[in-house]
Structures are given as C-alpha cells and as structure tokens.
Amino acid sequence: MASHNQVVGWIGLGSMGLAMAQNVQRYLQNTKSQLRFWNRTASRGAPLESLGAIGCESIAQLVAECDLIFMSTSDDAALNSIVDQILAVKDIDGKLFVDTTTVHPNTTKETDEKLKKRNASLVAAPVFGATPAAESGTVLMAMGGPSQAINEITPFVKGVIAREVMIVSDQPEKATLLKTLGNFIVAGAMEIVGEAHVLAEKSDLGTDMLEKLLELNFGMMYSSSKRMTQGVYLPKEGQAPQSSLNLGIKDVQHGISYAKDVGARLKVAEVALENMVRAKEFSDAHGGRPLDSSSGYGIIRQDAGLDFENTFVKERDSRKEDDSSQ
C-alpha cells in the first residue's frame, strides 16, 4: 500500500487527465487522503471537488504541498511551461514527478535532467488508450525511471489508473519512445484499414465483409475499422472526438522526427501524417469542426472519388437534422 502520509497532487485536467485524476482520488479515499489538483481552467476541477479533492490556486502551491505529483497535459510546449513553474519553486528536493503526457522522447530526457539538478525525480508514464479507457481505469501504462520511484508510484497506478503497467527502463525517455512507437503502429493501422475500406467500397465487395474479416482475423485492426464504419472519425457536431486529430498529428510527427534523429525512416507514418494534415485542412474549412485522429480515412475516401462522409455519417447527421426540424 502507498504511504498514508504521502500527499499526492495532479496537474492538468484535460479529458484524459481528469478521468485519471478522478480514479486516483477514489483510490485515495480508501486511505483517508485527498488529492490536490491544479488546472489552468479551475472549473474543470469541479468533478474532482465533488469527490473530495482539493483545488490549489497555483502550481507552486500544489508542488509545495505534495510529495508525489502527476502531470497530464496536451503537448511538449505545455509540459515545458509546467516544468518551468515547478522549477521556480524554492524547494523541490526529494519530490517525485510522474508525467503521463505523450511528448517527444527528447523532451522527456530534458525534463529529467532539469529535475535531477534540483534533486527531484521523474518517472515518464505515458498511457495507451482513449478517454473511455481512462474513465474506466483500463489504459495501459508504460513507465520509465528509477526503480525505487516506480515502486513508489505503482500502488496509485495498477488497478487504479491502468489495467497493466509495462516497466520499460530506468531512463524515462525510453517510456515515451515506446509510446511514440505505439502511436506509429496505431496511425499505420488506421492508414491501412482506411485504404482497405475504400477499396472494398469502390469494388462493391462491401465494408461489412471486410470488417468481419478484420474482426475474425486481424485483432487490433478491428477497433480501427469501427472508428471508421461507426463514424468516430467524424464526430457529430458539438461532440468531442475520442482522440484529437491535432494531438494525433503531433504524436506522428514525434515518431517521424525521432526516426530521423537515429537514421531511420517511418514511411507509413509519413503517408498517414499527410492525410491527417489534410484532414485538419478539412476541419478548418468547416469552421474548425473537431475531428478524430482517424479522420485521415475521410481524405483517403476523397482521393478515391468518394465523399469525406461515409454512409453511416450521412445517415446519422441526416437524422439529427430531421430531429431539429420537428
């Protein structure tokens, strides 16, 4: 069990961060402890407060009050801003920071070096899974960092935030590298499945038959397929995407960049990135409508002479229009 005297904090309450923080607060309730939290938009913390967590007015206050601090933010720039505010705190000796953000491995390495200079520790702990998995505590987490620090964190993670934890290395940046590779695999799978679905549709084989094959014989690709056939790639107006296209673009760019740094090339990622960037242009042309990271499928459709919207999306959105006219 975790120490009852340890004060835990959480910085960053996006959709993933809020879901994970709520699970940690529920766990802490069993130890008669309360999570401290901070978010740039304070109102995002209302669900946590209803569970008994305590809001902090600043990152400095949270860091001063806590021994173990989780961080969950959107990208490298946001993480760097948070770390700068942490480093401005006078005394962070012995504090342990856990970063669940998906960032470039070099960003993780730089963060680790900055914290080490102040006698603080970093564990990189990126997660695999979208918001629904974060809400149910069933994401997969990769961890990189000192073994003693990982042991200290584990009670708050396995069975609380994550269904399973992969211990990657004593070097934090190796955990974010593994996450980068995972993101590449997901993006590549969505590119391949999207192309296959378009061919099935254009050739009159039918997407239902292809999806059945994916379900019976290709495991992970079946979930990618459902994101397309069930319209997840193009959410309803006003509905948040399951996985943000903007963050997906960032993640794939990290993989391409890191591969270049070590003299390798991710050609499939380059193709996927091109389609994702073009999907972003589609979003911008439609009033900034939020798209899912699988929305490159819409571009593959357009390149084959089909509409960005598949039959499912058209029928779904037409039902909404019919309902609003009544």
Side-chain angles (χ1 to χ4, degrees), residues 13 18 21-22 25 35 37 44-54:
L13 300 175
L18 178 59
Q22 286 176 294
Q25 170 57 22
L35 182 74
F37 68 88
R44 288 281 298 172
L48 273 172
E49 289 183 327
S50 70
L51 292 173
I54 300 171

Side-chain angles (χ1 to χ4, degrees), residues 18 32 54 60 83 100 119 151 179 231 243 257 300 303 306 312:
L18 178 59
K32 308 301 182 184
I54 300 171
V83 171
T100 69
N119 198 31
N151 290 338
K179 178 63 193 303
S243 176
S257 169
I300 299 169
D303 286 348
L306 301 171
F312 180 93

Side-chain angles (χ1 to χ4, degrees), residues 43-269:
S43 60
R44 288 281 298 172
L48 273 172
E49 289 183 327
S50 70
L51 292 173
I54 300 171
C56 294
E57 293 185 358
S58 66
I59 289 176
Q61 179 192 349
L62 183 145
V63 172
E65 293 181 2
C66 297
D67 310 297
L68 168 60
I69 299 106
F70 287 85
M71 301 179 289
S72 176
T73 189
S74 57
D75 55 26
D76 301 55
L79 176 63
N80 287 334
S81 175
I82 289 170
V83 171
D84 286 345
Q85 293 175 72
I86 289 169
L87 295 173
V89 177
K90 183 177 180 180
D91 183 10
I92 61 171
D93 280 12
K95 294 185 184 290
L96 174 54
F97 296 88
V98 184
D99 182 27
T100 69
T101 312
T102 299
V103 294
H104 195 291
N106 291 346
T107 300
T108 300
K109 185 174 182 179
E110 292 164 5
T111 300
D112 183 41
E113 291 170 351
K114 291 175 183 177
L115 292 172
K116 277 181 177 177
K117 289 179 181 178
R118 296 288 304 279
N119 198 31
S121 301
L122 174 71
V123 171
V127 297
F128 299 81
T131 303
E135 291 171 345
S136 62
T138 57
V139 296
L140 172 65
M141 178 176 279
M143 278 195 188
S147 58
Q148 182 177 348
I150 289 175
N151 290 338
E152 188 176 336
I153 296 162
T154 299
F156 300 98
V157 174
K158 190 171 181 180
V160 179
I161 293 175
R163 69 180 189 275
E164 190 57 77
V165 175
M166 295 180 64
I167 309 301
V168 182
S169 170
D170 60 358
Q171 301 173 59
E173 65 269 20
K174 297 303 184 185
T176 43
L177 174 56
L178 183 65
K179 178 63 193 303
T180 297
L181 290 175
N183 289 338
F184 160 62
I185 292 169
V186 171
M190 289 191 295
E191 177 67 28
I192 292 168
V193 171
E195 292 181 12
H197 265 303
V198 168
L199 177 56
E201 185 171 342
K202 291 279 289 188
S203 63
D204 295 327
L205 171 66
T207 57
D208 288 347
M209 187 57 65
L210 173 62
E211 191 158 83
K212 190 64 176 178
L213 172 64
L214 294 171
E215 179 184 12
L216 295 175
N217 207 47
F218 290 97
M220 186 197 79
M221 289 189 174
Y222 176 61
S223 62
S224 297
S225 177
K226 299 293 282 187
R227 290 172 74 174
M228 298 169 195
T229 60
Q230 300 301 305
V232 173
Y233 77 100
L234 180 57
K236 295 178 184 178
E237 289 279 5
Q239 183 179 56
Q242 187 180 103
S243 176
S244 165
L245 172 62
N246 293 337
L247 295 182
I249 289 172
K250 177 261 297 182
D251 293 344
V252 175
Q253 286 173 331
H254 283 343
I256 292 171
S257 169
Y258 194 88
K260 184 178 180 180
D261 289 345
V262 299
R265 187 176 177 186
L266 302 179
K267 293 183 180 180
V268 173

